[in-house]
Amino acid sequence: MLLLQAAEAAHGAPAAAAAHGAEAASHGATFHPVLPWLILALPLLGFLVNGLIALYAARKALPAVPPVGDPYWDTHGHDAHHAHAAAPALAHAHAAAPSEQEHLDSGLRPNPADHADDHAHHAHAHDAHGHDAHGHDAHDDHGHHGPKPWTHVAPSFIAPGVLLAAFAIAVLNWMNMRGAGTFEDIKGWEWMPVGDLQVGFDLLLDPLSMVMTLIITGVGSLIHIFSIGYMKEDPGYPRFMAYLNLFIFFMLILVLGSSYPLMFVGWEGVGLCSYLLIGFWFKEKANADAGKKAFIVNRIGDFGFLIAMFLLFVNVGTLTFSEVMQRAPSELEFGGAVATAIALFFFLGAAGKSAQLPLYVWLPDAMAGPTPVSALIHAATMVTAGVYLVVRSSVIFTMAPRASLVVAVVGTLTALFAATIGLKQWDIKKVLAYSTVSQLGFMFAAVGMGAYTAGVFHLMTHAFFKACLFLGSGAVIHAMHGAFHATHNPADAQDMRNMGGLKRHLPITFATMGIATLAIAGVPPFAGFFSKDEIIGAAWLGADGANPLAAGMSQIGMDPTPWMWAIGVILTLTAFITAFYMGRMMIYTFFGRFRGTDTERSHLHEGNWTLTLPLIVLALLSTVGGLLNVEKQVFDHVPVIGPMFNAMAIGGDATLHHWIHPVIAGSETVMRENAPNAAEPHHAAWPIFLAIAIGLGGLALAWALVSKRNDRVRTADVEPAYEGGLQKALYNKWYVDEFYDRTVVKPVNFLSRLQWGFDRGIDGMVDGFGRMAQALGLWMGRAQTGYVNTYAFVLIVGVLVVLGSFMAL
């Protein structure tokens, strides 16, 4: 259920993980990295080459610039010719039917909330119609035929090729790292030698960064391959591939950097790339706004990251990971204000990047980008950065129990809040988007409770099954659009009310998404069962005082029992809701009758191998990924299924935990020194059976309630999106976007306009004085005529005025 080495070690029981590291160190095993800089350089090289190709392709696509004053051009209507050529595409774009969600309310009324704030529905237009219709998306059956230009062929080899090469080097390093007991910084060059601040551009390839590197390059490679089939018809295909490579490059800097400033470089880089990719189809304002929203919301979190770094340097004197973890226990007070403030500011940064309450609002809108972007951001890269930051700073968070409690509570509430919204979404990608926010909440609940390995474990399994689900939704959209396109049906290809019965036509997609759904629902033996079970188990053990957070809270005089009970109950309920809404998504999409026409049904089919191969690989990983961390000491207590799971464990007992242990060993030392009387965990079988019941129960309830309704559901143009008040609130995402719009966006806009008006007033006054001086100068200048008679006349008039004045006196 949960490995709590800190508590066990406090009671004199040597932890297996600690013994593992000590054994390796005693054998003098050291890690010798193999070409570590190439892991970074290859994606950067891909970006540079694809970027140049994109620039060349864009320049070739530009119309010729009319020569200035060329009478032939002006008289023979070149501009008119280009306008005529562009007209069909523009007309086609406008001909694309608006989404149901854009014009209909559940009660067949306009839904201003969707119209104003729900950017995700615009993804319909992109993925399903708008861009596909004029070549922005990839569809084999109605794409452009004929040989493609080399600018579209070369990126198909370069972009995934550099990622696969980087993944291969990462695997070599992983094999070399096994059994190593020490890990050192890989020196690069001096970067910020300023007084006491000495930060180098160095890499840290330790077990944690290795896990993240394998996930980023491995899952990222599959997403790149999927993108070949999904985006190849888009005119901006080279640019898209260049952005993907750049995204991976910055994410690798984030996880491989050996210091907080270098991590911040990657932190900002992935923020920039998310802006570029979410707003990839920037010609539509909604997509550009979604990209800006992600960028701005993340800046709020970045403020916290910067403040935390400043506090850390002032109080600890270094920003290098290894030095911070060594000095922090002696420089900071356990449970003190400084440690708490540093941890809370770091968490503010993590909440922004990983979409936690109240900064989660940008992530669902990220659906405005192409589906591979959603898979990349939601599964393997950006949103996991916050979890990585907390685990990397585990010593600091362990020293700040109050801050860790905030992390656990916010993560728990985020998990429940987002799960409830997922219950009533009809857009298949929006269901998955809120699922991502919810699962990130699970991860933060885990790391907040001190179960750092459980958090990383769920991060890993989530990357497998969430990438599979997002790419599967892309395959569904691909097929639905092809069917609708054949009949010129303007219906929304992402709305599940327009689907149904797809399992016969998309068997590979159905099978792989089904496996991923079982994984996220927590059904054994799929990956999500093991990782989610560890997180929920951490809460239940904490209720008995037997997890690191509970021990830390007790040490500073707080009663952990009610908090841990509340967290355990909410996470258990959330796991049940997750199973239900994922089952609902599968039933509406793949079961029952197809709600299109017979002609549309005849055009439903799987995509080519670039679309199906990544799904198969990810489904396989979703199946066996959880067996990497089977804790035999826990399953020994479980009758019937315990021996079966123990036999399936890949690599032995709790392999992932042993692998991660050297990174979190510092936090365990802090806990042993400051909470020596922590309760010993008592493993039991009932939480495991409860976890199994939750997953199966949620899916069974979905089948019982949704399958009957599935046959009665009509297409999105006539079926209301919701029926009652609660359903309306869920469909409209609890009106959080509207709340932010009224309390933040509009007041800021008002103040901005007020400031703009004030500036204009000041500028007007300054300009007015300038104009008055200019006018006075011009008027006076007119007296300088250059004629002698004029000057003589003025002189005489002046003399007469002076004499007259004297005479008057």
Side-chain angles (χ1 to χ4, degrees):
M1 180 62 65
L2 174 71
L3 289 170
L4 294 172
Q5 312 80 352
E8 291 178 355
H11 290 268
H20 175 84
E23 181 183 359
S26 66
H27 285 81
T30 56
F31 171 53
H32 300 286
V34 180
L35 303 174
W37 290 97
L38 269 185
I39 300 176
L40 279 177
L42 285 168
L44 180 61
L45 177 65
F47 161 70
L48 294 174
V49 175
N50 285 327
L52 291 174
I53 293 174
L55 290 174
Y56 177 80
R59 184 169 180 78
K60 292 286 288 183
L62 286 175
V65 178
V68 178
D70 187 338
Y72 178 84
W73 187 282
D74 295 337
T75 56
H76 289 74
H78 283 75
D79 288 340
H81 168 74
H82 286 288
H84 177 73
L90 184 63
H92 200 166
H94 287 295
S99 166
E100 172 270 336
Q101 296 175 14
E102 191 173 11
H103 294 289
L104 294 181
D105 183 44
S106 95
L108 301 181
R109 291 173 298 166
N111 187 346
D114 279 356
H115 182 76
D117 300 313
D118 187 0
H119 298 301
H121 72 275
H122 291 280
H124 297 187
H126 288 301
D127 284 344
H129 302 292
H131 291 278
D132 294 288
H134 47 84
H136 281 213
D137 211 348
H139 300 288
D140 299 336
D141 51 352
H142 50 80
H144 298 292
H145 298 288
K148 295 185 184 307
W150 69 269
T151 54
H152 269 55
V153 175
S156 300
F157 294 94
I158 296 171
V162 295
L163 255 293
L164 288 170
F167 176 67
I169 296 173
V171 171
L172 286 175
N173 280 281
W174 167 73
M175 296 175 66
N176 199 25
M177 185 181 288
R178 290 183 301 171
T182 58
F183 308 95
E184 298 179 356
D185 292 353
I186 302 169
K187 296 298 180 184
W189 59 85
E190 286 189 353
W191 182 32
M192 287 194 291
V194 183
D196 295 334
L197 179 62
Q198 300 291 327
V199 179
F201 203 98
D202 305 328
L203 302 185
L204 176 61
L205 203 57
D206 67 356
L208 177 60
S209 61
M210 177 54 67
V211 170
M212 296 296 296
T213 301
L214 289 172
I215 293 172
I216 293 165
T217 55
V219 178
S221 297
L222 296 172
I223 294 171
H224 275 63
I225 293 172
F226 187 90
S227 300
I228 296 173
Y230 200 78
M231 296 292 293
K232 64 184 178 184
E233 300 294 344
D234 194 292
Y237 177 66
R239 177 168 58 94
F240 180 77
M241 286 304 202
Y243 287 166
L244 288 186
N245 283 158
L246 186 65
F247 199 119
I248 295 291
F249 166 71
F250 278 120
M251 192 64 201
L252 288 172
I253 284 186
L254 194 155
V255 300
L256 290 175
S258 66
S259 62
Y260 287 103
L262 193 52
M263 174 191 276
F264 192 70
V265 172
W267 194 271
E268 290 298 295
V270 294
L272 168 66
C273 292
S274 68
Y275 164 74
L276 296 173
L277 285 169
I278 294 171
F280 179 71
W281 290 316
F282 58 86
K283 291 183 179 178
E284 290 192 15
K285 185 176 182 300
N287 301 325
D289 288 346
K292 287 186 287 186
K293 187 175 183 179
F295 196 78
I296 293 171
V297 173
N298 273 279
R299 297 291 77 73
I300 299 172
D302 295 346
F303 167 77
F305 195 121
L306 287 171
I307 297 297
M309 279 198 297
F310 298 154
L311 289 174
L312 196 60
F313 181 70
V314 168
N315 291 279
V316 181
T318 181
L319 292 175
T320 303
F321 292 142
S322 57
E323 295 177 354
V324 167
M325 298 309 123
Q326 290 174 2
R327 297 183 190 178
S330 58
E331 300 291 336
L332 302 177
E333 179 188 358
F334 183 83
V338 175
T340 302
I342 294 173
L344 285 176
F345 277 117
F346 269 138
F347 177 60
L348 176 60
K353 195 64 71 181
S354 294
Q356 296 297 287
L357 287 173
L359 302 177
Y360 75 96
V361 291
W362 67 270
L363 190 57
D365 285 5
M367 297 298 99
T371 297
V373 173
S374 305
L376 193 62
I377 292 178
H378 284 241
T381 56
M382 182 170 167
V383 297
T384 63
V387 181
Y388 174 78
L389 171 62
V390 176
V391 178
R392 180 59 78 191
S393 310
S394 58
V395 169
I396 296 173
F397 279 88
T398 303
M399 296 191 66
R402 291 184 179 86
S404 294
L405 178 62
V406 171
V407 175
V409 170
V410 170
T412 302
L413 294 178
T414 302
L416 177 63
F417 184 80
T420 59
I421 297 176
L423 286 171
K424 200 53 189 175
Q425 300 304 310
W426 288 107
D427 185 316
I428 188 171
K429 287 179 66 176
K430 287 178 70 176
V431 175
L432 298 177
Y434 284 102
S435 166
T436 298
V437 178
S438 180
Q439 296 304 306
L440 289 169
F442 272 95
M443 297 176 207
F444 275 99
V447 297
M449 290 185 291
Y452 298 110
T453 301
V456 176
F457 187 23
H458 198 56
L459 184 156
M460 181 189 72
T461 61
H462 179 263
F464 299 153
F465 55 70
K466 186 52 61 69
C468 184
L469 287 168
F470 262 114
L471 296 186
S473 72
V476 168
I477 295 166
H478 170 272
M480 289 298 299
H481 170 69
F484 288 157
H485 186 83
T487 59
H488 303 286
N489 185 348
D492 188 345
Q494 291 181 209
D495 196 310
M496 294 186 292
R497 287 168 293 182
N498 295 326
M499 301 178 186
L502 297 185
K503 66 177 182 178
R504 295 180 180 176
H505 311 282
L506 305 171
I508 297 176
T509 303
F510 166 68
T512 53
M513 287 189 72
I515 290 172
T517 298
L518 293 173
I520 193 175
V523 175
F526 300 97
F529 163 74
F530 296 96
S531 57
K532 195 182 294 183
D533 178 49
E534 280 206 19
I535 296 172
I536 297 175
W540 291 121
L541 289 173
D544 295 331
N547 76 10
L549 175 58
M553 292 174 66
S554 300
Q555 190 63 24
I556 61 173
M558 296 179 67
D559 182 6
T561 302
W563 292 98
M564 293 298 110
W565 265 101
I567 292 173
V569 170
I570 293 174
L571 290 181
T572 304
L573 175 62
T574 304
F576 183 82
I577 295 174
T578 301
F580 179 84
Y581 70 69
M582 290 304 299
R584 170 181 177 271
M585 185 198 75
M586 290 295 292
I587 292 169
Y588 278 129
T589 304
F590 292 102
F591 291 90
R593 59 179 176 81
F594 177 62
R595 287 180 276 276
T597 64
D598 292 339
T599 304
E600 290 164 351
R601 183 189 296 112
S602 66
H603 284 83
L604 292 170
H605 63 82
E606 294 277 12
N608 60 26
W609 70 270
T610 60
L611 300 184
T612 54
L613 178 63
L615 292 176
I616 294 171
V617 175
L618 289 168
L620 178 63
L621 293 172
S622 301
T623 304
V624 303
L627 302 177
L628 285 169
N629 202 38
V630 173
E631 302 174 32
K632 291 185 175 180
Q633 60 173 326
V634 175
F635 284 100
D636 285 341
H637 297 78
V638 183
V640 183
I641 62 173
M644 181 177 64
F645 288 152
N646 286 341
M648 291 190 295
I650 299 175
D653 179 22
T655 304
L656 181 65
H657 172 75
H658 293 161
W659 180 262
I660 296 292
H661 178 261
V663 179
I664 62 174
S667 66
E668 296 173 2
T669 302
V670 169
M671 188 55 62
R672 281 196 298 271
E673 293 176 349
N674 293 280
N677 299 319
E680 185 176 1
H682 299 284
H683 300 298
W686 68 266
I688 296 178
F689 285 111
L690 175 62
I692 296 173
I694 290 169
L696 293 176
L699 292 175
L701 183 63
W703 183 261
L705 297 181
V706 178
S707 61
K708 293 181 180 178
R709 174 175 164 73
N710 188 32
D711 290 332
R712 300 194 301 270
V713 167
R714 297 161 293 177
T715 53
D717 56 342
V718 293
E719 180 74 19
Y722 53 82
E723 295 175 352
L726 179 60
Q727 291 187 16
K728 182 178 180 181
L730 294 177
Y731 178 72
N732 288 292
K733 304 157 288 182
W734 296 112
Y735 297 99
V736 172
D737 282 329
E738 289 77 2
F739 174 76
Y740 282 163
D741 185 60
R742 292 182 181 179
T743 59
V744 178
V745 177
K746 288 183 177 176
V748 169
N749 284 341
F750 172 76
L751 292 175
S752 299
R753 292 192 183 95
L754 192 65
Q755 180 68 32
W756 179 72
F758 180 75
D759 287 346
R760 288 202 64 184
I762 298 296
D763 290 345
M765 290 176 60
V766 174
D767 291 345
F769 283 120
R771 292 192 181 95
M772 286 176 60
Q774 183 184 31
L776 182 61
L778 289 174
W779 182 77
M780 295 294 292
R782 290 172 181 169
Q784 303 296 323
T785 62
Y787 296 107
V788 176
N789 53 349
T790 302
Y791 298 149
F793 174 75
V794 173
L795 178 63
I796 293 171
V797 171
V799 169
L800 290 176
V801 170
V802 172
L803 291 176
S805 299
F806 280 111
M807 291 178 70
L809 293 175

